[in-house]
Amino acid sequence: MKLERFKEKNNKRKFIILFTVCCVFLLAGAFLYTSFAIFTEDKQFNVINGKYQDPGDLYFAVYIDGEITNTIPSKDSGYTLDEAQSSCTNGAKITWDNESWSALVDLSNYSAGNMSRTKCTMYFKVDYPIATDYIISLADSSSELVYDETSDNNLRYIGADPNNYVSFNNELWRIIGVMNNIDDGTGKKETRLKIIRDESIGNYSWDNKGEYGENDWTTSALQMGLNSGAYYNRTSGECPYGQNGTTTSCDFSNNGLTEEAKTIIGNAVWNLGGTENYTSSSDGLTSQWYGYERGTEVYSGRLPAWTSQIGLMYPSDYGYATSGGSTTNRDMCLTTELWSWNNLNDCYSNDWLYQSGPDDQWALTPFSGDSSNVIRVNSSGSVYRSYTTNESYVVFSALYLSSNAKITDGDGSHDKPFTLSL
């Protein structure tokens, strides 16, 4: 009897185990079915470019933002099919028709192989707008965006504090504008966003060679630090500070460029043309500075342009950023030489690129009349020149984003800046 009881219990245990295994297989089968049978087209599919060949049952699995789902996103949701990631078995190819909002399956290369069913996995993602296109779309309804009426017809943010904040490099930057005909260094010209850091990276010399420095951006100590030194590599190092090669320790381990940020930056040709005449009547207007910067007037032996990633603002960037005020409007500001803006409070106080602190701000443009002076925006609001070795001026790094950078969120305000992705 004891032996019989033992066998009876063992049989029950086997039955329970067998029943459990069956349930597991049934649940797994149900999951796979729902994963790939959420949408089926039994002989109801589009055949593109090829002879018809019956692919058997056609199954679809849908993922939205990487999560499997049982619904296709609605047409006005902002999602679109990621065709590069989506795929089908048996040589079929899937695309998406935005007009009919439906999948199209190309069977021109279909081959049944060892599989009787054709499975298509569709990945949907949000189709974020290209950053330049998005900013342009805001222009019609925003008084903060104005075309500069140069030959390039750039679209710029103007005013004392426009909503041009962008989250970049894990910190706040600001959009100077949508800049046209930016050469990427290969001769290819693109429309790109130009941005500048909201806060300076510190007080450094433009260059530190000799007693007065050299106004050659291609060999400038500051340029090298920004594009290949401590700032670019997000580390600590030495930065130019004074005369005769003097440096000061600088630590960019927390605010240098991140690897992610570098993927959104593009190479650009930075114009290095200058002038030695900007303080007499009717020269040195913002529009004239724009021409000087893109001209070929340079000190002997200097290059008129340089391809790199990080630079500084131009004097024309500063001038075009003003909205003017009630006493001196924008048109009057733009028809007044930048060197005399210190007398026009409405011009510089309504210019978001103006820094009201005690320090002057470096610009990129060299003075072409000698080998040592470059242009700066001083704390009184005017534009003038200075020796490159001056260590008390602040540096605001500027750059051009990649032409395919996208805006994924935000409204450009300080508290909700635009966010970026590729």
Side-chain angles (χ1 to χ4, degrees):
M1 293 296 295
K2 289 181 180 179
L3 181 59
E4 290 176 359
R5 289 194 191 99
F6 173 78
K7 288 181 178 179
E8 184 179 352
K9 289 181 180 178
N10 192 40
N11 287 336
K12 288 182 179 179
R13 183 177 301 170
K14 289 180 178 179
F15 174 78
I16 292 171
I17 293 173
L18 181 61
F19 179 77
T20 302
V21 170
C22 289
C23 289
V24 169
F25 275 106
L26 285 172
L27 289 172
F31 175 78
L32 290 174
Y33 177 79
T34 55
S35 296
F36 274 100
I38 291 169
F39 306 99
T40 64
E41 262 189 350
D42 189 6
K43 312 297 186 280
Q44 311 236 347
F45 43 79
N46 293 296
V47 180
I48 309 170
N49 301 329
K51 295 180 180 179
Y52 175 87
Q53 185 178 1
D54 188 348
D57 293 333
L58 191 58
Y59 294 91
F60 294 88
V62 177
Y63 288 80
I64 298 178
D65 294 331
E67 298 290 332
I68 195 165
T69 179
N70 59 2
T71 59
I72 288 178
S74 61
K75 191 171 184 177
D76 58 353
S77 64
Y79 283 90
T80 188
L81 185 71
D82 185 347
E83 294 186 5
Q85 189 176 6
S86 302
S87 63
C88 298
T89 59
N90 297 335
K93 181 180 178 181
I94 191 166
T95 57
W96 189 258
D97 182 5
N98 285 318
E99 186 69 25
S100 62
W101 201 248
S102 61
L104 302 177
V105 180
D106 183 348
L107 298 174
S108 57
N109 294 314
Y110 171 77
S111 176
N114 296 323
M115 300 184 67
S116 61
R117 300 189 304 173
T118 299
K119 302 175 181 179
C120 294
T121 306
M122 299 189 296
Y123 292 88
F124 286 88
K125 64 178 182 179
V126 174
D127 188 19
Y128 294 111
I130 296 294
T132 51
D133 294 341
Y134 184 76
I135 300 302
I136 291 172
S137 73
L138 300 177
D140 289 340
S141 59
S142 174
S143 60
E144 298 176 338
L145 283 160
V146 175
Y147 287 96
D148 60 19
E149 298 183 356
T150 64
S151 57
D152 294 310
N153 201 33
N154 305 303
L155 181 64
R156 298 175 182 269
Y157 276 99
I158 66 171
D161 188 24
N163 290 313
N164 62 343
Y165 292 90
V166 60
S167 178
F168 176 78
N169 199 49
N170 299 326
E171 57 200 8
L172 278 181
W173 288 54
R174 303 190 76 168
I175 301 171
I176 292 176
V178 179
M179 317 304 285
N180 296 314
N181 299 316
I182 302 303
D183 192 326
D184 67 356
T186 68
K188 179 182 178 182
K189 294 187 176 181
E190 304 172 307
T191 297
R192 294 163 64 175
L193 281 192
K194 186 177 186 180
I195 65 174
I196 189 169
R197 201 171 185 272
D198 185 45
E199 295 183 356
S200 78
I201 62 172
N203 295 61
Y204 305 108
S205 301
W206 204 92
D207 189 56
N208 59 358
K209 301 181 189 71
E211 185 176 1
Y212 301 115
E214 295 180 2
N215 57 6
D216 185 351
W217 181 249
T218 69
T219 63
S220 157
L222 179 60
Q223 182 273 127
M224 290 188 284
L226 293 175
N227 286 283
S228 59
Y231 179 74
Y232 188 82
N233 293 307
R234 200 176 175 85
T235 186
S236 58
E238 296 295 317
C239 291
Y241 197 79
Q243 302 173 333
N244 301 311
T246 303
T247 62
T248 186
S249 59
C250 47
D251 186 357
F252 300 115
S253 55
N254 292 319
N255 63 355
L257 293 178
T258 65
E259 293 304 313
E260 181 182 6
K262 291 176 187 178
T263 65
I264 312 179
I265 303 171
N267 280 337
V269 172
W270 294 84
N271 297 294
L272 302 176
T275 184
E276 58 180 318
N277 299 309
Y278 63 91
T279 59
S280 59
S281 177
S282 298
D283 64 15
L285 304 178
T286 299
S287 59
Q288 291 170 323
W289 276 109
Y290 191 83
Y292 300 151
E293 295 154 7
R294 285 150 186 80
T296 57
E297 185 177 335
V298 296
Y299 184 73
S300 177
R302 305 284 192 254
L303 292 175
W306 177 250
T307 300
S308 61
Q309 293 190 336
I310 316 301
L312 306 171
M313 75 169 182
Y314 291 119
S316 65
D317 290 331
Y318 169 66
Y320 280 124
T322 187
S323 64
S326 58
T327 302
T328 310
N329 62 28
R330 188 169 192 267
D331 287 342
M332 294 176 65
C333 293
L334 295 181
T335 54
T336 303
E337 295 82 359
L338 289 175
W339 64 270
S340 64
W341 268 25
N342 59 305
N343 299 315
L344 300 174
N345 180 272
D346 275 354
C347 294
Y348 65 80
S349 64
N350 291 298
D351 188 320
W352 65 271
L353 279 171
Y354 167 71
Q355 300 296 318
S356 59
D359 301 320
D360 295 359
Q361 178 182 351
W362 287 120
L364 184 63
T365 303
F367 175 71
S368 63
D370 62 41
S371 64
S372 301
N373 276 275
V374 294
I375 304 303
R376 76 185 193 276
V377 177
N378 63 40
S379 58
S380 64
S382 62
V383 166
Y384 211 73
R385 68 179 184 267
S386 176
Y387 288 126
T388 65
T389 51
N390 195 308
E391 71 274 8
S392 65
Y393 298 162
V394 292
V395 176
F396 289 81
S397 46
L399 56 89
Y400 294 93
L401 295 176
S402 172
S403 61
N404 60 349
K406 297 183 177 183
I407 287 181
T408 59
D409 198 6
D411 59 13
S413 63
H414 182 277
D415 296 331
K416 194 178 180 183
F418 295 123
T419 57
L420 302 168
S421 76
L422 287 179

